[in-house]
Amino acid sequence: MKINTKVTPAAKSAWVRWLPNALPAAGYIAFDNTTDAPFDITKIKSPGYQRITVYQTVVDSESSKMVKLDKVTLPAKGQFAFAPGQHHIMFEKPTRLITPGDNARFIFFLGDGTILKVRMPVRTSPELY
């Protein structure tokens, strides 16, 4: 049974950091969950990239590293953000030439079966556009 979700991308939070020569690109987006239940993002797909992986940056006293995650949880009545230095989405192996100014398309799959279709602008930095 599908739950009626009220999870939406937060305004102006979505963007993909462009790097030259088809290098892996990092994506950032925030989600608002206005329901009383948490939801997991279990998968992300895109017609523009062959491989998409979610990472969390973990910092200890001597170094930082990226830890691959199988899912992230959107808290009940809260927000979850993929943000620089915290969590990010790694987009690899573009299926076409992607350049700054493009809008990359993504599908976020939630654990209850809901899908969210999102367009994320491609930029060289978060301050642009």
Side-chain angles (χ1 to χ4, degrees):
M1 179 171 153
K2 184 175 171 185
I3 300 168
N4 183 14
T5 59
K6 300 234 179 180
V7 175
T8 59
K12 297 184 181 180
S13 68
W15 66 287
V16 175
R17 183 185 305 269
W18 177 83
L19 293 174
N21 303 319
L23 290 170
Y28 306 101
I29 186 170
F31 290 94
D32 290 322
N33 179 3
T34 60
T35 71
D36 292 325
F39 290 98
D40 292 332
I41 295 176
T42 57
K43 182 170 38 170
I44 305 167
K45 288 188 163 190
S46 172
Y49 295 92
Q50 293 177 38
R51 184 170 28 184
I52 300 174
T53 313
V54 173
Y55 289 98
Q56 178 179 8
T57 301
V58 177
V59 179
D60 64 25
S61 61
E62 297 181 18
S63 65
S64 67
K65 63 182 176 181
M66 296 187 318
V67 176
K68 182 181 173 190
L69 302 176
D70 293 327
K71 67 177 182 174
V72 294
T73 301
L74 311 179
K77 295 204 180 285
Q79 186 179 75
F80 179 87
F82 291 97
Q86 299 170 21
H87 292 84
H88 68 278
I89 308 163
M90 185 68 69
F91 304 117
E92 298 179 80
K93 299 184 178 182
T95 59
R96 63 176 183 82
L97 179 63
I98 296 174
T99 60
D102 287 347
N103 279 305
R105 296 179 299 150
F106 300 97
I107 303 170
F108 290 81
F109 294 83
L110 302 185
D112 73 338
T114 299
I115 62 170
L116 301 170
K117 295 181 178 181
V118 179
R119 291 186 183 267
M120 296 171 64
V122 178
R123 303 176 180 159
T124 55
S125 78
E127 294 82 24
L128 297 177
Y129 309 92

